[in-house]
């Protein structure tokens, strides 16, 4: 029996005993997780989801948190900036071993759901979904503004950061000047690529500004 599951924006065809690398999951080595987004089941009879197969799940043991092969990124600034930079980046991955494929009853198995390590904001949105549906339509914009965590710094104090960029940073888990002040070159390259800042972090000098604002 095989299954096609979806995680980290990718699809994987798996069988019991398979070992594969997926986008980093919020789980520690030795934990058991369950993938609930199953697109298809195959074997004696093929079941295709619409888009997911109801009640199906794929269980796996987390072997380790690892990093992928180094990717080289070359950044060349446009005129007026006249600079170029080459940086390396290694994607964070999770190594897992498929243990069971459940055709039904996965929703009552009690096994921890496999959630991406960068999906904290989506989990918050998911938890808030019932309250949002019950609230009147006029209250929806206020609920969106209240998404910033309590105690978060006003990131708009950084040069070039407006409400839109602040929202991107908060969704990525960046809530304080202290976090930005501690960024390494690898962190800068990762956020620059992940959030499509196009070199803004270095160009605006966010790390230096954050160090002053964090004091």
């Amino acid at each position: 029996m095989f299954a096609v599951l979806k995680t980290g924006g990718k699809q994987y065809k798996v069988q019991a005993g398979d070992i594969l690398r997926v986008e980093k999951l919020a789980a520690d080595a030795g934990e058991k997780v369950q993938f609930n987004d199953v697109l298809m089941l195959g074997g004696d009879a093929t079941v295709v989801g619409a888009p997911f197969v109801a009640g199906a799940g794929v269980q796996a043991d987390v072997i380790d948190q690892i990093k992928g092969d180094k990717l080289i990124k070359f950044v060349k600034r446009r005129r007026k900036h006249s600079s170029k930079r080459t940086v390396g980046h290694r994607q964070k991955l999770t190594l897992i071993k498929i243990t069971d494929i459940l055709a039904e009853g996965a929703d009552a198995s009690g096994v921890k759901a496999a959630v991406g390590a960068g999906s904290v904001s989506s989990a918050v949105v998911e938890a808030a979904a019932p309250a949002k549906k019950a609230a009147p339509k006029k209250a929806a914009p206020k609920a969106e503004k209240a998404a910033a965590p309590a105690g978060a710094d006003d990131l708009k104090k950084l040069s070039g950061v407006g409400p839109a960029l602040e929202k991107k940073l908060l969704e990525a888990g960046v809530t304080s000047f202290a976090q930005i002040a501690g960024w390494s070159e690898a962190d800068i390259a990762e956020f620059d690529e992940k959030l499509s800042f196009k070199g803004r972090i270095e160009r605006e000098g966010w790390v230096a500004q954050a160090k002053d604002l964090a004091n």
Side-chain angles (χ1 to χ4, degrees), residues 30-136:
E31 280 193 272
K32 180 181 282 290
V33 295
Q34 179 173 289
F35 297 91
N36 296 313
D37 292 347
V38 178
L39 301 169
M40 185 175 76
L41 292 173
D44 296 334
T46 301
V47 181
V48 179
F52 305 121
V53 180
V58 176
Q59 295 181 354
D61 289 333
V62 177
I63 299 174
D64 199 6
Q65 298 288 358
I66 60 174
K67 287 187 177 182
D69 299 330
K70 179 177 265 192
L71 302 175
I72 302 300
K73 178 185 174 186
F74 178 73
V75 180
K76 184 175 181 181
R77 312 289 183 217
R78 286 193 270 175
R79 58 181 182 174
K80 294 185 180 179
H81 297 293
S82 185
S83 67
K84 56 186 178 181
R85 181 167 62 96
T86 301
V87 294
H89 170 68
R90 296 181 65 189
Q91 184 65 34
K92 294 179 180 178
L93 304 170
T94 300
L95 188 65
I96 61 171
K97 180 178 181 179
I98 305 300
T99 56
D100 293 295
I101 296 176
L102 306 178
E104 56 185 17
D107 47 353
S109 68
V111 177
K112 173 182 175 180
V115 179
S119 302
V120 177
S121 58
S122 59
V124 173
V125 172
E126 198 173 315
K132 191 175 179 182
K133 287 180 182 177

